[in-house]
Amino acid sequence: MDEFAWASAVGRIRVLEKGLLSKQELNRLAESRNLEAAIGSLRDSVYGPYFARLENVEDFDVALERFLADSYAYIGSMAPEPLVITAYRARYDFHNLKVFSKSRLLGIPREDKALSLLGNIRPEDFIGFLDTIDRDRDAGVARDTSLEDEKSERPDLVELKSVLARTYETLKSRVVNDANNTLGLSPLELDSLVDRAFYGWAQGVFRRFGYDGVSDFLSSEMDILNLKMALRAKRLGLPCSLFSNLALPEGNVPSEVLVDAYGKDGEKIKLAYKGTPWERLASEGVALLERGERLTAWEKSCDDALFRLIKKARILPLGPEPVIGYIAAREAEVKNIRIILAGKQSELSAGEIAERLRESYV
Amino acid sequence: MFGGLTGMLVLFGLLVSFLALGTAAFFGEVLGGNGIALIGAGLAVFLSGMGSTIGVGIAGEKAAGITAEDPEKFGRLLLLQALPGTQGIYGFLVGFLAMFRMGAFSGGMNLTIDQGWQFLFACLPVAITCLVSGLYQARVSIAGMDIVAKHPEESGKALILPAMVETYAVLGLLASVLLLMFAVKV
Amino acid sequence: MEIRVNATRQELTRLKARVRMAKRGHKLLKDKRDQLMKEFLAIVHESQRLRQELEKKLSLAYKSFSLARAVLSPPALEEALMVAGGPEEVSISYRHIMNVVVPEMYITGRSPAQGSQPEEGRVMLPTYGLASTSSDLDDALAQFRGIMPLLVRLSCIERTIQLLADEIEKTRRRVNALEYVLIPELEQAVKDVEMRLEEMDRANASRLMKIKDIVRAH
């Protein structure tokens, strides 16, 4: 742990934070007449150059994705301990792993649009990387020898790749074991295996570096995700045995407790979250579930609660938390802009857009 | 309290001073009065210098980060960076005064063990307050830089906050100077 | 077209029988047509109702899908939807309406009576991870899934309408052919034959009278 090492990065972040859109700016964006007008009013912000390069305004997703990718690259370049940022960003690498695994292991045609540009490893390098794993496995070569030529690579990427390789091998063994069944591994299980691998590893990294703020945030994210998944799984009527495969470990609420509660009833789920900051959210969500109402607004308040936790990083003078907070703020901002623009595109009412807008960082 | 890096550094400083005290206590006979007094002067310079160096160093890093994105803030940031630097000067001042009082510059240093201990303890207030205040003032400065980065028009407030920490460094300095001038019998 | 027959009494009886036959067939066909029309109209009404319902549901589903899309990032959405929601089997049986064979289709496991609700104990497993998606997506996909039986039902009804329309068209053509062509022609032919027979009778009578006169004059 070396929070002082982050001093320079935090200094730069403070200046960058001034570029974040305020709540008023977002509201003004939401009130614009149509898609063109909304994009026009973004022209003077940091997003301007990205939208200017678009040939068709309907492709705003591309611009937003490029913007985030550049932000990540910039933040990564200023991090004194790159692994911390790499681990946070790795959620996109694991996302790409899901896409590639589905196409390679489940035999589903690859959907290039599903690939994220935000990962540490570019999608085109990812293919070569997975090819190497497949080849080594066929040739019976142990993993370690193939890492020889990666010595020149950044150590944080080497660690990430070894975790990705391990996860891929796990998925592969699950599929091969069930060779008589073409879909031996359901896509749901595949996704949740990858998710669990990501959260487990990232939490390990943050704990290893000793940044309590970041690991607390990740645990809370897992708590909230577990709560959301539990209620959604209840709504979809998934059996308890399946849910136990979904719950993410390493949250503040142990996954065994939650799975046990899931097997019983809503009251027990509330009880599992008793004493955590999410107690109120849990009881609200369970009430909605029992009345059979939509969870949209509730999911938003979950995201907001989590985001308020991130916002604490705004007043920290040192450490990686402000840096991660900034990245999370940008992601939330892009999400809000996407909600607004997509809403304008499909001509949703202002109320429907506002219902989905998340809290902003500044 | 001692969880963060700052706390660890403070602990390290206190450890050094305890070691010095221990050394003086165990080997007092060997070192003699002169030796013990010089350990005191050394502690004053070393501990406060350590606090200031680390403080100015980190504050400088953060200032550099902000300047990298927004060069116009350099002037205001420089002030904030310099604030934790005063402790080192206080420590040096006390060290100098102590050496002056013990007669290091007038040829003959000839102190008894008792006098040596007096010098040592007279130097301790500035040494410890400057170490702790240097580190914590740096933290306030660093946080104050956030104000400069986000609200340049409020830079004055950013300067006042770390200046509050300065008070205790000054009090430590005052205590040490008074002790050296009036309490130590040469 | 004219029906040419030998003007004999035997022919006449045969023609008359044909006329009777044609008239009876005509009446039967007309009844069939009317019945078909009745069925047809009922089904058309149902299809209209279904279509309206479908359109309402589809637009709702598309709307909730676009809401779900707004909240998810495009790669996350694409990844979630990479694997199709699993096969649905459609069972087909046949039914007779006025001798017309029409198909009956429904999705296996979801009998038409139950509509869009999946059968008890049958859980639709999502084919995407829950951590990276939202409940909006669950709702949108459930709506689309709920529309499936309606779609199948509608396609089955539209096929029925097509088949019935063909049958009605065919029947109507037959009715018309009978009513406006065959029956008039047959009646015409009967008349012709009767006239010719009467003509022959008269000719015979006058010939007999002539012969009687000649005989009497001698």
Side-chain angles (χ1 to χ4, degrees):
Chain A
M1 176 171 90
D2 184 4
E3 67 204 42
F4 286 165
W6 291 82
S8 161
V10 175
R12 299 171 75 172
I13 288 299
R14 287 293 174 248
V15 179
L16 292 179
E17 272 175 10
K18 285 174 66 179
L20 287 167
L21 299 183
S22 64
K23 188 131 198 99
Q24 291 78 24
E25 283 172 297
L26 273 180
N27 284 342
R28 212 171 320 133
L29 192 65
E31 281 157 16
S32 41
R33 261 176 303 110
N34 54 25
L35 185 61
E36 281 77 16
I39 287 180
S41 62
L42 277 175
R43 209 138 270 165
D44 291 331
S45 65
V46 280
Y47 296 94
Y50 293 90
F51 283 115
R53 265 190 275 157
L54 283 186
E55 286 174 13
N56 183 359
V57 284
E58 309 276 320
D59 295 336
F60 56 83
D61 279 328
V62 180
L64 292 176
E65 178 110 346
R66 273 200 210 121
F67 170 78
L68 268 188
D70 285 358
S71 299
Y72 263 115
Y74 191 58
I75 298 293
S77 73
M78 67 168 74
E81 288 162 323
L83 188 53
V84 176
I85 300 297
T86 305
Y88 184 78
R89 193 180 178 182
R91 58 185 69 215
Y92 299 105
D93 294 301
F94 280 87
H95 165 89
N96 284 348
L97 180 66
K98 286 182 200 168
V99 178
F100 283 119
S101 304
K102 279 183 183 175
S103 74
R104 282 171 177 247
L105 303 178
L106 304 186
I108 287 146
R110 198 174 87 219
E111 190 73 65
D112 277 341
K113 273 193 285 181
L115 292 173
S116 172
L117 302 174
L118 301 181
N120 295 292
I121 304 169
R122 282 181 304 158
E124 52 271 32
D125 297 341
F126 218 115
I127 301 174
F129 164 62
L130 290 180
D131 281 343
T132 327
I133 302 176
D134 282 343
R135 206 171 331 113
D136 288 352
R137 195 194 164 92
D138 293 344
V141 187
R143 270 299 298 159
D144 301 313
T145 51
S146 70
L147 285 170
E148 287 295 311
D149 50 51
E150 291 167 11
K151 275 270 160 65
S152 56
E153 225 179 345
R154 280 163 43 199
D156 54 317
L157 285 190
V158 173
E159 180 171 345
L160 170 65
K161 280 192 175 178
S162 73
V163 178
L164 286 172
R166 223 165 37 233
T167 314
Y168 184 64
E169 296 279 6
T170 313
L171 295 177
K172 213 166 162 178
S173 66
R174 288 287 300 273
V175 174
V176 171
N177 284 345
D178 290 314
N180 47 350
N181 185 354
T182 43
L183 274 179
L185 189 61
S186 81
L188 174 65
E189 280 173 296
L190 186 148
D191 277 5
S192 38
L193 269 173
V194 175
D195 283 334
R196 296 169 91 173
F198 163 67
Y199 284 102
W201 175 66
Q203 187 63 299
V205 169
F206 296 145
R207 291 237 169 90
R208 177 148 39 100
F209 277 83
Y211 291 123
D212 294 341
V214 188
S215 49
D216 277 354
F217 164 66
L218 205 70
S219 306
S220 305
E221 188 184 355
M222 281 189 257
D223 281 340
I224 293 256
L225 277 177
N226 277 342
L227 179 59
K228 281 204 237 177
M229 286 198 288
L231 296 196
R232 278 173 67 196
K234 273 270 183 216
R235 239 161 76 108
L236 295 168
L238 303 190
C240 187
S241 56
L242 195 67
F243 179 71
S244 67
N245 288 332
L246 299 184
L248 299 167
E250 310 227 24
N252 295 320
V253 177
S255 59
E256 309 86 61
V257 173
L258 187 61
V259 169
D260 190 46
Y262 182 87
K264 288 166 186 151
D265 59 1
E267 280 311 307
K268 286 278 182 306
I269 296 183
K270 271 197 252 178
L271 214 60
Y273 276 83
K274 204 163 177 62
T276 67
W278 324 118
E279 196 178 331
R280 203 174 49 86
L281 277 177
S283 55
E284 278 174 14
V286 170
L288 285 176
L289 180 74
E290 276 160 4
R291 289 202 300 273
E293 285 174 26
R294 278 165 61 223
L295 296 177
T296 311
W298 177 78
E299 280 187 330
K300 190 193 112 147
S301 48
C302 281
D303 286 1
D304 284 348
L306 193 60
F307 200 62
R308 277 197 287 279
L309 200 71
I310 300 180
K311 270 167 117 173
K312 287 187 183 158
R314 272 197 316 177
I315 52 163
L316 290 179
L318 288 173
E321 289 88 356
V323 181
I324 287 184
Y326 170 74
I327 266 295
R330 276 291 183 208
E331 280 178 352
E333 183 177 286
V334 162
K335 192 172 189 176
N336 275 339
I337 293 180
R338 189 186 313 110
I339 291 172
I340 293 175
L341 295 186
K344 295 281 164 212
Q345 193 179 26
S346 33
E347 291 168 355
L348 301 184
S349 71
E352 279 166 324
I353 293 179
E355 189 193 1
R356 284 164 176 78
L357 279 188
R358 267 57 176 173
E359 254 184 53
S360 59
Y361 196 60
V362 285
Chain B
M1 176 187 170
F2 296 120
L5 203 48
T6 325
M8 276 158 65
L9 287 170
V10 168
L11 273 183
F12 174 72
L14 291 177
L15 199 70
V16 168
S17 43
F18 281 130
L19 270 178
L21 283 174
T23 317
F26 277 108
F27 303 105
E29 296 300 324
V30 188
L31 290 168
N34 292 352
I36 297 175
L38 283 175
I39 286 181
L43 271 183
V45 178
F46 169 75
L47 286 181
S48 55
M50 176 181 143
S52 281
T53 318
I54 295 173
V56 175
I58 310 155
E61 257 191 69
K62 181 143 182 198
I66 297 179
T67 314
E69 300 290 337
D70 190 357
E72 301 195 346
K73 304 251 161 66
F74 179 68
R76 297 185 184 103
L77 293 172
L78 192 62
L79 272 178
L80 280 171
Q81 189 203 349
L83 275 176
T86 50
Q87 277 82 348
I89 300 174
Y90 299 160
F92 175 71
L93 210 69
V94 168
F96 188 81
L97 185 67
M99 284 189 278
F100 185 78
R101 287 282 290 159
M102 62 181 86
F105 306 121
S106 51
M109 268 180 70
N110 196 9
L111 304 171
T112 64
I113 297 211
D114 266 3
Q115 285 171 322
W117 279 109
Q118 285 175 15
F119 272 107
L120 177 54
F121 278 105
C123 288
L124 275 185
V126 82
I128 292 174
T129 51
C130 282
L131 168 73
V132 179
S133 73
L135 290 171
Y136 281 96
Q137 192 177 30
R139 291 197 70 124
V140 185
S141 275
I142 287 169
M145 287 177 182
D146 290 352
I147 306 182
V148 176
K150 290 185 130 174
H151 307 285
E153 65 283 357
E154 307 284 352
S155 302
K157 291 175 184 160
L159 271 174
I160 294 170
L161 298 173
M164 304 299 285
V165 189
E166 189 77 18
T167 322
Y168 302 95
V170 174
L171 291 181
L173 170 71
L174 213 62
S176 284
V177 169
L178 289 176
L179 283 170
L180 283 173
M181 295 298 288
F182 304 110
V184 178
K185 296 280 181 291
V186 187
Chain C
M1 203 187 83
E2 220 177 315
I3 299 173
R4 293 178 177 281
V5 282
N6 293 326
T8 59
R9 244 165 239 289
Q10 202 186 354
E11 255 334 296
L12 183 66
T13 5
R14 257 188 54 211
L15 271 176
K16 278 191 171 156
R18 272 182 77 188
V19 169
R20 261 200 317 279
M21 181 81 162
K23 280 196 170 156
R24 219 172 61 209
H26 175 237
K27 190 180 170 321
L28 276 176
L29 278 174
K30 227 162 82 179
D31 284 353
K32 181 182 173 185
R33 189 191 67 186
D34 292 347
Q35 192 56 37
L36 275 176
M37 280 305 281
K38 229 166 82 187
E39 296 268 350
F40 182 75
L41 283 178
I43 286 180
V44 164
H45 279 310
E46 195 189 343
S47 112
Q48 258 170 0
R49 192 182 56 75
L50 272 180
R51 193 163 266 282
Q52 267 166 10
E53 189 186 336
L54 182 74
E55 262 161 28
K56 213 170 72 199
K57 281 194 171 169
L58 260 183
S59 74
L60 274 178
Y62 274 117
K63 185 156 175 195
S64 59
F65 187 73
S66 67
L67 289 175
R69 192 198 92 103
V71 175
L72 292 176
S73 79
L77 184 66
E78 295 280 351
E79 190 271 327
L81 301 181
M82 258 175 95
V83 182
E88 292 270 27
E89 260 177 53
V90 175
S91 322
I92 301 184
S93 60
Y94 294 95
R95 179 164 80 99
H96 294 260
I97 300 178
M98 309 290 303
N99 230 7
V100 186
V101 183
V102 296
E104 281 276 270
M105 299 187 267
Y106 59 92
I107 294 178
T108 317
R110 291 202 263 176
S111 60
Q114 273 170 313
S116 58
Q117 292 306 312
E119 258 173 44
E120 203 62 33
R122 189 179 128 112
V123 178
M124 292 303 294
L125 291 186
T127 53
Y128 45 85
L130 295 187
S132 52
T133 51
S134 71
S135 72
D136 277 349
L137 187 69
D138 297 345
D139 291 348
L141 293 184
Q143 282 185 28
F144 277 117
R145 206 173 292 125
I147 286 173
M148 276 310 283
L150 204 59
L151 263 178
V152 170
R153 174 106 188 91
L154 188 68
S155 69
C156 158
I157 282 188
E158 304 235 307
R159 178 72 191 142
T160 307
I161 288 178
Q162 216 178 15
L163 290 171
L164 279 185
D166 276 356
E167 188 64 24
I168 289 174
E169 175 68 24
K170 239 184 334 195
T171 316
R172 215 190 52 211
R173 239 186 294 123
R174 281 195 194 138
V175 172
N176 285 349
L178 282 178
E179 189 173 339
Y180 297 110
V181 184
L182 192 63
I183 294 177
E185 272 172 9
L186 281 176
E187 282 174 342
Q188 187 62 44
V190 170
K191 229 155 98 191
D192 284 355
V193 171
E194 272 171 355
M195 272 165 65
R196 287 256 290 286
L197 285 178
E198 277 172 26
E199 187 67 31
M200 274 157 67
D201 275 353
R202 275 195 295 279
N204 245 356
S206 60
R207 197 163 50 235
L208 279 177
M209 278 158 73
K210 194 85 182 157
I211 290 171
K212 238 181 179 167
D213 278 352
I214 294 171
V215 171
R216 210 178 283 143
H218 283 286

